[in-house]
Amino acid sequence: MLRLRSFRATNEKVVKIAVHPTHPWLVTADASDHVSVWNWEHRQVIYELKAGGVDERRLVGAKLEKLAEGEYEPKGKPTEAMRGGSVKQVNFFDDDVRFWQLWRNRSAAAESPSAVNHLTSAFASPAPSTKGRHFLVICCENKAIFLDLVTMRGRDVPKQELDNRSLLCMEFLARSAASDSPLVAFGGSDGVIRVLSMMTWKLVRRYTGGHKGSINCLMTFMASSGEALLVSGGSDGLLVLWSADHGQDSRELVPKLSLKAHDGGVLAVELSRVIGGAPQLITIGADKTLAIWDTISFKELRRIKPVPKQACHSVASWCHPRAPNLNILTCVKDSFIWAIEHPTYSALTRPLCDLSSLVPPQVVAPNKKLRVYCMVAHPLQPHLVATGTNVGIIISELDARSLPPIAPLPTPPGSREHSAVYVVERELKLLSFQLSNTPNPSLGNNASLSEAGRLKGDSIETLHVKQIKKHISTPVPHDSYSVLSVSCSGKYVAIVWPDIPYFSIYKVSDWSNVDSGSARLLAWDTCRDRFAILESASPPRMPIIPKGSSSRKAKEAAVAAAQAAAAATAASANVQVRILLDDGTSNILMRSIGSRSEPVIGLHGGALLGVAYRTSRRIGPGAATAISTIQSMPLSGFGSSGSFSTFDDGFSQRSPSETAPQNFQLFSWETFEPVGGLLPQPEWTAWDQTVEYCAFAYQQYLVISSLRPQYRYLGDVAIPYATGAVWQRRQLFVATPTTIECVFVDAGVAPIDIETRKMKEEMKIKEAQARAVAEHGELALITVDGPQNTASQERTTLRPPMLQVVRLASFQHAPSVPPFLSLPKQSKVDGDDSFMPKEMEERKYNEIAVGGGGVSVAVTRFPNEQKRPVGPLIIVGVRDGVLWLIDRYMCAHALSLSHPGIRCRCLAAYGDAVSAVKWAIRLGREHHDDLAQFMLGMGYATEALHLPGISKRLEFDLAMKSNDLKRALQCLLMMSNSRDIGQDGTGLDLNDILNLTAKKENMVEAVQGIVKYAKEFLDLIDAADATAQADIAREALKRLATAGSVKGALEGNELRGLALRLANHGELTRLSGLVNNLISLGLGREAAFAAAVLGDNALMEKAWQDTGMLAEAVLHAHAHGRPTLKNLVEAWNKMLQKEVENTPSAKTDATAAFLASLEEPKFTSLSEAGKKPAIEILPPGMSALSASITIQKKNAPATLNSQQSQQQPNKPLALEAPPSTEPAATTPSTDQAPPPPASAPPSSEASEPASDNKAPNSSENNPDKADLEQSKPETTASNTEAPDATQPDAAPPVVSPEPEAPQNDNQETNSTNNVAKNDLLI
């Protein structure tokens, strides 16, 4: 709840401090007049300046600028060389500062019942002089310094230009028109206020006659009448009011009102916003008092002394939901931040926190005490308070997760009036709000915080809200911090006071109390009106550590007290489940959930009950001191025991590398049994009303999951410090302390979804069968089973989950870069450089950044962000087409969702994709690609095709996803410029011959286009084959084959895929032109496969031989009797010999080389070295290449026995369909032998050729010629006799036709005879 957000140590005490409203910037001035700008989020110093004296760096920079402008001789002493003197005030000024200053004044004035209508008008556009510039303004005694933090160029205005009077304070004046220049008012030492124009840098006005002494402070505010006022406090103790409307021509204005405020002088003045009333002024003076003034009657409402005997030097208006009754913060020269409770009547001053317990112990010296010298509360984030001390700058965070005590109620059907219930002090009130065409005169601060002067098409409509606050007669028992929640039906409202602890359940119809008791936490079920509470007895109050006692014994006592209190609470805590019946009675369903012994520290409702347990972690002395400080406060403050529910995460700064403890368990509301294992504890959970999605929030990210058909993790969205969210039909609206985000979610299609769909269909079929059998008997199964089996199966494609984040509102005036996304993370996909700028320009894809889990989080261009309301917010949800929010002042705000870019996405997420496409007509066509990508992720690819402005590349993707392959083909032909390529023409006419040059250029462009989209062509062919659209696949194949026929056009994997698809479609003509390109790329297997499909054995061998795959070529030639066998074997052995000779020896040392040389045979002459046998690897049965090729004639029986011993019919060597064979007969009778099958393996071992073989020819069926071949002595085919081919019943062998191969000269004489004999032997 209370922790140190940031700390910067300084050597000097910090006496002046100011914070920027939108950027994490802090400007401080120390006692030595050194000014520094610090980024407290990144803990970096942005700029440092010695403002009191002469800053040498600025002086050198000014001289260089003048030299660059052509001024070689300075005309006089530069203003940068003047000593500034004591720094009196520091501040920022830019568009954001101006806007939120005006918003604060208007919103405070609009709370008054007498507020006028025009307070709700849209704010004027920023002045040209400040757009894009961030000024640091330093008010010194002798000059004012204006430094632009963007360009680092400054301008000094000496006091000589302001009547030569010392400058003591300053304030920026609001403009009455957009054309007016920014004005800054300086309070002088003579009691005169001088106004300087930041455009002309001239004095434009004086306020005189109000003060008799010097002016110490200035502030602007707005009266309920709409008049801009300037209030000044002087050393004479007077509080003077002036008119700040500078539309008048008078250069000197007199005061409107003068009041005696303090004795000894007014030190500071602050504006306080009051819920339902006119704003108030808070002043602190040298008389050590604090006074509160009414801004209508300007009467004093209250005067107190916050800290006795000490003067306050800083005051801030504060409104934090965790401390609803503490409205004013102040500080004196001690280590505390003091808070004033109920300033207008009780005015009790309590220490909010002790800063000495937050800073590191080594920072403060042992004999040094921490002292606070200045303080400021963040104007837009009230949980942040910055203080300047004698040891450094401390930024403390006070429970950023606390939300206003308000709960929206469901809107009745058909009603346009919405309502919410909230608690103020001890009253229960009802807020009714709705859209109105005219502003409400009584509650003016209801308009959307939009701006004028936007570009056409990006303007956000101004939404006026009519709201009424009604009092409910039912009182509530406590006025401390409360948490409100509503049941799923909206019939009951629960209020929990964690600090008491106590809870009450009210029935909305009559606001009667139906249940109450002692509980610190409460969680509702999202499906039924049942809830779980954490019942516990009130722990003993811890002893207060005396002020200033920072001894070790006191801290150890605090640790012991904290541990004892925690143990006492844990001993009596249990989770109980109750249900509310229709009659309004409450029944206990389960008295205790879970069997764990650890104490419960959190409850989270939803479709499942989440219970968080405290992990065993040691409490440090600093944390114990902070615990005792907070728990010693009264019940109406931060409370005594409320810190137990959030202390476990509030005080600890866990390092990023430290893993979160597994201390969160989900339970079923029905069985009260655990569901799944332990998880890290989330800060809050959000469950969809339809129980389809859920979100778990952690400190730096959100975990989004799908619940149907089973729990599935979708991804992380890096939205840090989220405080709450509401689901709305695949839309998650998230609030953070600075922004409003919308996360569009779709689970996609996963394999489990397809399996679940099939299971459901099978269950439906079984149920239909069971019903039919029950009605009509077993014969009914025939009619039920038939059409179900013949139904066409849909081609279901998987779709990844999609998360897209859109920022709806923020504090910044200009559009800001979302903090959860960095630059687009581009990756190489399928080998193409998709991250190149040229490719990104051509493809026109939207930017993609990767969130957790690998889920793509898309970013798109939207209109300027709307202004987020200030402070913590409750998200009501989308009603009447706008997003409703309620702030801590119980005012409703409406964020417009009418921009076409947002409305289209909301409609698509809602399920109305047709209306989303209609709304897209109002959006610029340059945004249609982004929208189409979004609709594709949401599962509406078919509808996204109707967007008129999508690019052809994206149109192709959408057509593929929606199975519109004809449109996908047209897109591909247009993108690749290949519409006229691949057509089967009849011939060339005269015009074609004359235009050959133009046709050649078109052909080159078309081939380049086809190569660029080769992968898309292949995907289209596959999709067409899967859906039996052969004509589309054939058209795509024509184009791709044309590019494949060009050498070097396609890559290896693309050529391989093209060859397979051409073979599948029987495109042999185009396949033949592809083989040589496959060979040139070294794709021997693919080229051989293509040649095999073509039936060209010679081409197959050429493919293997040219790509170095000689082993495959030898085996193929050997198996099929190719005549090139010997040449292939010789080439193969030569290659092996080279590999052996070129292989480097692994032994490099001399000893190993000598020992190896002893083992090798010695050669005494070159002739002996030439006799060394070469390495030869031969097929089985083939003689050595170096031996003479002589064959001895053997007897037939021996040959037959040899054939039987060597034949292995089950292991063929052929790589394609071999010639049909027949087993060798051992008996002369073959009449009963069956004909051999066509696929019988060859007896290759029985017929080993020693020379080249010829392909089968016409001698195969000639028995006479076969006998003649047997008698020739030159035969070298085999030593085996062939079966008797003269028998009439012997079936001729079936062989596959092969083209003839070239022969050698020494083989021509007997090639035909060898082939014939070989065939007959087979």
Side-chain angles (χ1 to χ4, degrees):
M1 185 177 62
L2 171 67
R3 70 186 186 97
L4 180 67
R5 181 64 181 270
S6 189
F7 174 76
R8 180 191 173 210
T10 57
N11 296 326
E12 297 284 342
K13 59 183 178 181
V14 178
V15 294
K16 305 294 179 183
I17 192 169
V19 64
H20 195 279
T22 59
H23 294 283
W25 298 343
L26 196 71
V27 55
T28 58
D30 58 18
S32 300
D33 297 322
H34 283 78
V35 177
S36 63
V37 180
W38 183 49
N39 187 317
W40 51 266
E41 199 170 70
H42 301 287
R43 294 177 171 84
Q44 294 178 351
V45 176
I46 299 175
Y47 188 78
E48 285 185 318
L49 170 69
K50 185 179 179 181
V54 178
D55 193 282
E56 296 296 334
R57 292 178 304 171
R58 292 191 66 238
L59 186 59
V60 172
K63 291 181 180 179
L64 291 176
E65 288 181 9
K66 291 183 179 180
L67 288 175
E69 294 174 357
E71 297 182 10
Y72 298 98
E73 296 182 0
K75 299 178 181 179
K77 186 179 181 181
T79 55
E80 289 80 7
M82 297 177 56
R83 299 184 60 86
S86 176
V87 176
K88 298 299 181 181
Q89 190 176 347
V90 290
N91 212 337
F92 296 101
F93 184 77
D94 54 20
D95 295 334
D96 293 330
V97 174
R98 176 202 55 79
F99 178 88
W100 289 111
Q101 179 189 18
L102 180 59
W103 181 90
R104 181 198 65 169
N105 295 340
R106 286 179 178 243
S107 59
E111 287 282 354
S112 174
S114 60
V116 296
N117 296 350
H118 69 266
L119 290 181
T120 61
S121 61
F123 296 159
S125 61
S129 61
T130 59
K131 182 176 292 186
R133 306 172 69 183
H134 303 283
F135 283 102
L136 170 64
V137 186
I138 306 171
C139 178
C140 304
E141 265 189 317
N142 300 327
K143 64 180 179 180
I145 303 173
F146 295 83
L147 178 68
D148 186 2
L149 295 177
V150 177
T151 62
M152 290 302 171
R153 300 184 64 176
R155 185 180 184 95
D156 294 6
V157 179
K159 66 177 183 179
Q160 284 78 11
E161 298 184 12
L162 298 174
D163 298 338
N164 203 17
R165 298 294 182 178
S166 299
L167 311 179
L168 302 181
C169 58
M170 65 179 177
E171 175 67 349
F172 304 103
L173 301 183
R175 304 184 317 274
S176 61
S179 60
D180 293 336
S181 62
L183 302 177
V184 55
F186 292 97
S189 57
D190 58 348
V192 177
I193 303 173
R194 295 170 178 85
V195 181
L196 179 74
S197 172
M198 293 181 62
M199 184 174 293
T200 61
W201 304 105
K202 300 295 182 181
L203 183 65
V204 295
R205 186 178 312 156
R206 296 180 182 86
Y207 293 92
T208 59
H211 294 278
K212 297 179 181 179
S214 60
I215 299 177
N216 296 332
C217 55
L218 291 172
M219 189 197 68
T220 58
F221 71 98
M222 185 173 291
S224 57
S225 60
E227 181 184 8
L229 299 175
L230 174 67
V231 60
S232 61
S235 59
D236 53 2
L238 295 180
L239 195 66
V240 181
L241 268 72
W242 316 79
S243 175
D245 284 335
H246 48 277
Q248 308 173 18
D249 295 334
S250 174
R251 295 183 58 86
E252 292 193 7
L253 300 178
V254 296
K256 293 175 64 69
L257 184 66
S258 181
L259 304 171
K260 180 63 176 178
H262 295 274
D263 294 332
V266 180
L267 301 180
V269 61
E270 178 72 9
L271 181 70
S272 175
R273 178 177 174 180
V274 180
I275 299 178
Q280 298 174 353
L281 293 179
I282 306 170
T283 59
I284 54 176
D287 55 358
K288 303 178 182 179
T289 62
L290 182 147
I292 302 174
W293 308 83
D294 182 29
T295 56
I296 296 180
S297 62
F298 291 98
K299 293 182 178 180
E300 182 181 314
L301 301 178
R302 184 84 181 186
R303 184 177 294 269
I304 59 174
K305 288 188 177 182
V307 181
K309 299 181 180 180
Q310 294 196 38
C312 301
H313 46 72
S314 292
V315 64
S317 174
W318 199 53
C319 184
H320 196 285
R322 189 62 179 86
N325 300 322
L326 304 180
N327 299 331
I328 298 175
L329 299 182
T330 185
C331 62
V332 296
K333 291 182 182 180
D334 59 9
S335 62
F336 292 92
I337 297 178
W338 297 87
I340 301 177
E341 178 186 358
H342 294 300
T344 54
Y345 52 95
S346 62
L348 298 176
T349 304
R350 304 291 181 185
L352 181 66
C353 64
D354 185 3
L355 296 178
S356 61
S357 63
L358 298 181
V359 298
Q362 63 271 16
V363 173
V364 184
N367 56 353
K368 187 177 182 180
K369 293 184 179 180
L370 189 143
R371 295 285 183 266
V372 179
Y373 288 91
C374 56
M375 176 204 65
V376 61
H378 199 287
L380 306 184
Q381 304 179 55
H383 61 281
L384 297 176
V385 178
T387 51
T389 66
N390 57 340
V391 296
I393 307 165
I394 302 173
I395 298 182
S396 53
E397 187 177 57
L398 300 153
D399 200 356
R401 291 176 290 176
S402 295
L403 298 178
I406 190 165
L409 300 175
T411 303
S415 175
R416 298 183 62 87
E417 185 178 7
H418 318 293
S419 58
V421 60
Y422 65 96
V423 176
V424 174
E425 297 178 350
R426 297 199 178 191
E427 295 182 355
L428 200 61
K429 293 189 176 183
L430 192 67
L431 174 65
S432 299
F433 53 93
Q434 62 181 341
L435 288 178
S436 174
N437 294 329
T438 58
N440 183 17
S442 61
L443 289 169
N445 182 32
N446 310 317
S448 170
L449 299 179
S450 61
E451 304 235 357
R454 298 181 188 269
L455 295 177
K456 185 177 181 182
D458 285 348
S459 60
I460 301 296
E461 59 178 337
T462 302
L463 300 176
H464 297 288
V465 180
K466 177 184 178 182
Q467 60 181 355
I468 302 174
K469 297 178 181 178
K470 303 177 183 177
H471 177 71
I472 299 175
S473 58
T474 304
V476 293
H478 306 284
D479 62 350
S480 65
Y481 168 61
S482 58
V483 179
L484 275 70
S485 56
V486 183
S487 64
C488 67
S489 65
K491 297 179 180 179
Y492 303 96
V493 174
I495 306 177
V496 180
W497 292 270
D499 301 336
I500 304 301
Y502 192 79
F503 82 97
S504 293
I505 307 290
Y506 295 93
K507 194 173 183 180
V508 175
S509 58
D510 55 358
W511 298 108
S512 60
N513 192 346
V514 297
D515 197 1
S516 61
S518 173
R520 194 166 62 245
L521 301 171
L522 186 144
W524 286 99
D525 183 5
T526 56
C527 302
R528 299 183 62 185
D529 288 340
R530 54 187 167 191
F531 60 93
I533 57 174
L534 178 63
E535 283 195 333
S536 63
S538 179
R541 188 176 297 274
M542 292 185 184
I544 303 176
I545 298 180
K547 181 179 176 181
S549 61
S550 59
S551 63
R552 182 178 178 182
K553 292 184 178 180
K555 293 185 178 180
E556 290 178 354
V559 172
Q563 293 176 349
T569 305
S572 58
N574 59 338
V575 179
Q576 185 181 114
V577 178
R578 302 184 183 185
I579 188 171
L580 295 171
L581 304 179
D582 294 337
D583 57 356
T585 59
S586 174
N587 291 339
I588 298 177
L589 293 179
M590 190 70 179
R591 292 193 175 273
S592 180
I593 288 183
S595 58
R596 299 178 63 89
S597 59
E598 294 91 344
V600 177
I601 60 172
L603 286 181
H604 300 273
L608 297 174
L609 174 62
V611 180
Y613 298 93
R614 183 189 299 276
T615 55
S616 57
R617 194 166 59 196
R618 185 174 176 269
I619 302 176
T625 306
I627 297 173
S628 61
T629 303
I630 292 176
Q631 292 190 345
S632 63
M633 297 175 63
L635 297 181
S636 57
F638 268 60
S640 60
S641 60
S643 57
F644 279 108
S645 59
T646 55
F647 162 72
D648 201 62
D649 290 329
F651 288 97
S652 61
Q653 278 278 54
R654 187 179 293 117
S655 63
S657 60
E658 183 182 352
T659 58
Q662 308 284 329
N663 62 336
F664 183 71
Q665 179 67 61
L666 294 172
F667 291 90
S668 171
W669 287 98
E670 304 292 338
T671 62
F672 311 112
E673 295 295 327
V675 178
L678 288 174
L679 302 171
Q681 179 191 357
E683 297 186 357
W684 49 263
T685 61
W687 299 74
D688 188 11
Q689 288 290 338
T690 58
V691 198
E692 293 183 8
Y693 299 97
C694 68
F696 288 4
Y698 295 90
Q699 188 173 17
Q700 297 294 332
Y701 58 92
L702 301 180
V703 176
I704 298 180
S705 307
S706 173
L707 304 176
R708 292 182 181 178
Q710 66 179 17
Y711 178 84
R712 181 157 55 97
Y713 165 78
L714 298 184
D716 298 348
V717 180
I719 301 179
Y721 308 113
T723 57
V726 170
W727 282 99
Q728 188 91 20
R729 285 291 188 92
R730 293 192 290 178
Q731 305 163 73
L732 182 67
F733 294 97
V734 184
T736 72
T738 56
T739 62
I740 303 294
E741 318 282 354
C742 179
V743 185
F744 294 96
V745 182
D746 186 78
V749 179
I752 184 64
D753 298 323
I754 300 177
E755 295 176 6
T756 305
R757 187 183 306 170
K758 291 180 179 179
M759 291 176 56
K760 289 182 178 179
E761 292 176 355
E762 293 175 359
M763 291 175 60
K764 289 181 181 179
I765 293 174
K766 291 180 180 179
E767 291 176 0
Q769 290 177 355
R771 288 195 303 267
V773 169
E775 294 179 4
H776 307 289
E778 295 292 338
L779 295 177
L781 294 178
I782 301 175
T783 59
V784 173
D785 223 8
Q788 295 290 338
N789 292 336
T790 59
S792 61
Q793 296 182 355
E794 295 182 0
R795 180 170 166 260
T796 306
T797 58
L798 301 181
R799 193 174 77 251
M802 197 274 297
L803 304 175
Q804 188 178 80
V805 183
V806 174
R807 174 162 295 176
L808 300 178
S810 68
F811 287 140
Q812 292 189 357
H813 180 85
S816 58
V817 178
F820 48 82
L821 294 170
S822 59
L823 291 177
K825 296 182 181 179
Q826 301 291 341
S827 60
K828 291 186 179 181
V829 181
D830 294 331
D832 66 329
D833 297 339
S834 61
F835 65 95
M836 297 300 291
K838 181 179 178 182
E839 188 71 12
M840 291 174 60
E841 223 174 287
E842 292 175 356
R843 296 170 74 96
K844 292 180 67 177
Y845 268 137
N846 63 332
E847 299 172 351
I848 296 294
V850 178
V855 179
S856 62
V857 183
V859 187
T860 184
R861 293 169 293 175
F862 278 94
N864 293 338
E865 300 156 6
Q866 302 175 65
K867 286 298 185 293
R868 181 196 186 277
V870 173
L873 299 172
I874 291 288
I875 301 180
V876 178
V878 177
R879 301 177 186 179
D880 298 335
V882 298
L883 179 63
W884 289 98
L885 310 167
I886 302 178
D887 64 7
R888 71 189 194 277
Y889 293 103
M890 311 308 166
C891 286
H893 302 266
L895 289 184
S896 175
L897 302 176
S898 62
H899 187 274
I902 300 175
R903 180 59 60 88
C904 291
R905 284 164 171 78
C906 293
L907 289 172
Y910 192 78
D912 191 357
V914 177
S915 298
V917 173
K918 293 179 180 178
W919 266 85
I921 300 175
R922 311 181 187 185
L923 195 64
R925 292 200 171 197
E926 65 274 11
H927 302 291
H928 284 195
D929 274 9
D930 293 344
L931 183 58
Q933 287 281 10
F934 172 80
M935 297 184 68
L936 175 62
M938 300 295 281
Y940 301 116
T942 305
E943 290 79 1
L945 277 172
H946 293 85
L947 292 172
I950 56 176
S951 60
K952 287 297 177 183
R953 181 64 182 83
L954 185 56
E955 184 180 354
F956 168 78
D957 291 339
L958 295 174
M960 291 288 291
K961 292 289 184 180
S962 58
N963 293 329
D964 190 354
L965 301 185
K966 186 175 181 180
R967 186 167 180 177
L969 177 62
Q970 297 299 324
C971 293
L972 263 187
L973 297 183
M974 187 172 296
M975 287 189 298
S976 60
N977 195 20
S978 60
R979 188 177 297 274
D980 300 329
I981 302 301
Q983 303 295 332
D984 298 329
T986 58
L988 295 177
D989 55 8
L990 182 59
N991 293 329
D992 294 335
I993 296 174
L994 295 176
N995 297 328
L996 282 178
T997 304
K999 284 184 172 293
K1000 184 178 180 180
E1001 294 177 356
N1002 294 338
M1003 175 69 73
V1004 172
E1005 294 179 0
V1007 169
Q1008 292 175 350
I1010 295 172
V1011 170
K1012 181 178 179 181
Y1013 297 103
K1015 182 180 181 300
E1016 285 75 13
F1017 272 103
L1018 293 175
D1019 294 341
L1020 178 60
I1021 295 169
D1022 292 341
D1025 290 341
T1027 54
Q1029 301 183 47
D1031 54 343
I1032 295 178
R1034 195 174 298 112
E1035 290 293 326
L1037 271 174
K1038 289 179 183 179
R1039 275 77 180 178
L1040 202 57
T1042 302
S1045 62
V1046 179
K1047 187 174 181 180
L1050 296 179
E1051 296 181 357
N1053 59 336
E1054 296 168 348
L1055 274 176
R1056 184 187 302 117
L1058 175 59
L1060 293 175
R1061 288 162 179 82
L1062 285 173
N1064 185 35
H1065 283 263
E1067 297 281 348
L1068 301 184
T1069 304
R1070 291 185 170 88
L1071 185 61
S1072 61
L1074 199 67
V1075 178
N1076 291 330
N1077 288 343
L1078 289 170
I1079 294 174
S1080 65
L1081 288 177
L1083 301 176
R1085 298 182 187 277
E1086 288 75 14
F1089 172 77
V1093 173
L1094 295 172
D1096 191 344
N1097 284 336
L1099 190 60
M1100 190 186 307
E1101 289 181 9
K1102 181 178 182 297
W1104 276 325
Q1105 189 174 4
D1106 292 352
T1107 56
M1109 302 173 66
L1110 295 176
E1112 288 83 353
V1114 169
L1115 291 176
H1116 177 266
H1118 173 63
H1120 294 278
R1122 301 288 300 150
T1124 57
L1125 176 64
K1126 183 178 180 180
N1127 295 336
L1128 291 174
V1129 172
E1130 289 178 351
W1132 186 24
N1133 283 277
K1134 288 180 180 178
M1135 182 185 70
L1136 294 175
Q1137 185 71 27
K1138 288 182 179 179
E1139 290 180 357
V1140 172
E1141 291 175 355
N1142 296 332
T1143 303
S1145 176
K1147 303 176 182 180
T1148 56
D1149 57 299
T1151 304
F1154 175 74
L1155 294 176
S1157 66
L1158 294 178
E1159 298 175 358
E1160 296 181 354
K1162 299 293 186 295
F1163 302 105
T1164 58
S1165 66
L1166 293 177
S1167 59
E1168 292 182 3
K1171 296 178 182 179
K1172 182 178 180 180
I1175 296 177
E1176 293 183 356
I1177 299 178
L1178 305 174
M1182 183 175 176
S1183 60
L1185 296 175
S1186 60
S1188 61
I1189 305 175
T1190 57
I1191 303 299
Q1192 296 181 357
K1193 183 70 175 177
K1194 293 184 179 181
N1195 297 329
T1199 305
L1200 293 175
N1201 293 337
S1202 174
Q1203 176 185 353
Q1204 289 178 356
S1205 64
Q1206 295 179 8
Q1207 184 178 1
Q1208 296 181 6
N1210 293 331
K1211 297 183 178 180
L1213 294 177
L1215 298 183
E1216 62 178 9
S1220 301
T1221 59
E1222 182 183 60
T1226 58
T1227 60
S1229 175
T1230 59
D1231 296 337
Q1232 298 178 354
S1239 62
S1243 57
S1244 56
E1245 290 83 354
S1247 58
E1248 300 289 348
S1251 64
D1252 299 339
N1253 288 341
K1254 181 73 175 173
N1257 53 19
S1258 61
S1259 67
E1260 153 182 56
N1261 294 328
N1262 192 342
D1264 297 334
K1265 196 171 183 178
D1267 293 338
L1268 183 63
E1269 299 290 337
Q1270 282 183 339
S1271 62
K1272 288 190 176 182
E1274 295 90 348
T1275 303
T1276 58
S1278 178
N1279 295 332
T1280 306
E1281 279 192 2
D1284 191 2
T1286 60
Q1287 296 180 6
D1289 296 336
V1294 181
V1295 296
S1296 60
E1298 297 181 357
E1300 293 186 0
Q1303 308 175 24
N1304 297 331
D1305 296 334
N1306 60 351
Q1307 299 167 351
E1308 291 178 354
T1309 58
N1310 59 354
S1311 60
T1312 305
N1313 298 334
N1314 288 342
V1315 172
K1317 184 175 177 76
N1318 181 49
D1319 294 336
L1320 291 177
L1321 286 175
I1322 292 174

